[in-house]
Amino acid sequence: MLIHSASQLLTLAGGPQRGHALGTLGIIENGAVIVRDEKIIAVGTTDELRNAYPDEPTLDAGHSVLMPGFVDPHTHVIWAGDRANEFEMKMGGMAYLDILAAGGGIISTVKATRTASLETLIAQTRPRLLKMFAHGTTTAEAKTGYGLQTSTELRLLKALLALDDESPLDLAITFLGAHAIAPEYKDNPQGYTDEVVNTMLPMLKEWWETHAPRLNLPFVDVFCETKAFDLEQSRQILTRAGSLGFPLKIHADEFDNLGGAALAAELGAASADHLVRTSDADIAALGKSDTVAVALPCTPFGLAEKDYTPAKKLIAADAMLALATDCNPGTSWNESMQIAIALACRYMKLTPAQAIAASTINSAHAIRRSDTIGSIEVGKQADMLILSVPDYRQVGYRYGTNLVKQVIKRGRVYSVDVGYYRTA
Ligand code: NIG
Ligand code: FE
């Protein structure tokens, strides 16, 4: 298939973008792509590729932007129930971590999730994944973490594997058994840490090798935060996970600076995420590492907080910056990377080009898939978007409605635009 007549083809070619290189879109005007068997086999101008492939079936990009699919590298998309009541409490003035300490927050979703069957979990999560896909996310990371006990965590993994199988959206699965202190260990956080380290992680490895033998091992993540896991407990969990062969991630500095980002850099984690209160020393450590700094601007927005990830400092320190939705029922129920981009432009002062790079090639690197997705280059998976706008700067500028007209996933074309009026 020849996809042709893109006003701007954003290739994002050349690999993950560090520091001030962020925002290199690699634009080809009047661009075109040849797709065969799920893969991109040629990239160029419409004239070049029409001449080189005269007999190819065609898809007209209609003088709109053609770009890589969004990669959302941080979501908690699988859960049961909702927390609309807590949103009301938070807007009434109660703090997120105080609601958590009072047995609400993550723990209230844990209660709903523990009692949900596999079928219920799949049925409640499926529409969220469909919304992500319709808004242009072609690959998403998805964390467990609302079980906090072996049986439920395994049910969440099973549901995610089933959803990955049935849906056109690809999932990169993460085990977040260390998302909060399990209610059974309320006054004994070290006890729950030991349970994760000594029981859950080895069991996870065995389970994965039996149930998903063809897939790489999942990521292991930990919520390194006051009232969750302290730095030493986070180190224990990630060190054990690393020695079992799991790739690593961390939630760091969402509310307090505990040193989680430097720990991630030291342990060679794929990413450190949130990074709102990150110290200059931790930022410097990220800048010298291959650990991607994932900012989640929907989260402070969702919590109505004023501080966002210091993107300018991370860029100045030569870090690799990525964006994600953090889609979850407590702090950010949003499926759209376009909203994350709109917020990142306004509150983190990214340009649209920087935010697009942070949502494609860099976010692909945050889940260690930048060799196969995140850019439009020969040999990569054909995961692309045709937008309904002719200029990439419309992304971020406009928000709240969907700018994606068609999603191309592994070479298959899905129309998602609700349509627009045409004059005769
Ligand atoms: O990334 N910080 C921990 N996890 C989520 C919130 C989860 C929840 O409140 O249910 C986050 O913001
Ligand atoms: Fe999170």
Side-chain angles (χ1 to χ4, degrees), residues 13 124 151 179 188 202 229 247 263 316 360 380 397 403 416:
Q124 292 197 14
S151 56
H179 191 192
N188 181 15
F229 297 86
L263 176 66
T360 52
K380 280 205 163 174
Y397 164 51
L403 299 185
V416 297

Side-chain angles (χ1 to χ4, degrees), residues 62-80:
H63 303 288
S64 294
V65 172
L66 175 62
M67 62 172 288
F70 293 122
V71 178
D72 186 346
H74 183 135
T75 87
H76 305 254
V77 70
I78 187 156
W79 76 81

Side-chain angles (χ1 to χ4, degrees), residues 174-383:
T174 295
F175 175 76
L176 182 56
H179 191 192
I181 306 300
E184 293 75 10
Y185 290 89
K186 192 175 178 308
D187 303 312
N188 181 15
Q190 188 57 47
Y192 185 59
T193 305
D194 294 342
E195 161 100 12
V196 172
V197 168
N198 299 323
T199 310
M200 290 171 112
L201 289 176
M203 181 268 333
L204 169 67
K205 177 143 186 189
E206 214 184 294
W207 186 93
W208 192 270
E209 283 167 352
T210 329
H211 290 79
R214 288 188 316 282
L215 298 180
N216 291 335
L217 284 175
F219 292 95
V220 168
D221 192 350
V222 56
F223 188 20
C224 179
E225 192 62 58
T226 308
K227 300 183 192 171
F229 297 86
D230 67 23
L231 187 66
E232 181 48 33
Q233 290 159 347
S234 301
R235 178 184 286 281
Q236 291 165 11
I237 290 165
L238 293 180
T239 307
R240 183 70 201 274
S243 73
L244 289 167
F246 293 105
L248 309 175
K249 286 182 168 284
I250 195 166
H251 280 67
D253 311 326
E254 181 174 357
F255 301 103
D256 291 316
N257 178 233
L258 303 189
L263 176 66
E266 177 196 327
L267 298 179
S271 72
D273 303 31
H274 284 290
L275 307 175
V276 175
R277 308 256 178 253
T278 309
S279 68
D280 289 348
D282 287 356
I283 288 175
L286 285 174
K288 289 193 201 74
S289 75
D290 197 30
T291 300
V292 177
V294 179
L296 310 167
C298 303
T299 304
F301 179 78
L303 292 168
E305 294 196 349
K306 67 177 200 324
D307 294 329
Y308 286 74
T309 301
K312 293 245 186 268
K313 282 188 174 182
L314 284 158
I315 290 169
D318 215 26
M320 282 178 289
L321 185 70
L323 292 173
T325 62
D326 198 20
C327 184
N328 76 75
T331 63
S332 168
W333 189 334
N334 161 48
E335 289 91 347
S336 170
M337 286 295 286
Q338 296 171 61
I339 297 292
I341 288 171
L343 295 174
C345 290
R346 285 163 185 76
Y347 294 108
M348 294 163 49
K349 302 285 181 259
L350 295 187
T351 63
Q354 290 176 322
I356 288 170
S359 303
T360 52
I361 189 65
N362 279 18
S363 50
H365 196 52
I367 53 167
R368 291 299 187 251
R369 294 195 186 184
S370 58
D371 52 340
T372 53
I373 56 172
S375 64
I376 299 180
E377 290 176 275
V378 172
K380 280 205 163 174
Q381 199 167 290
D383 291 4

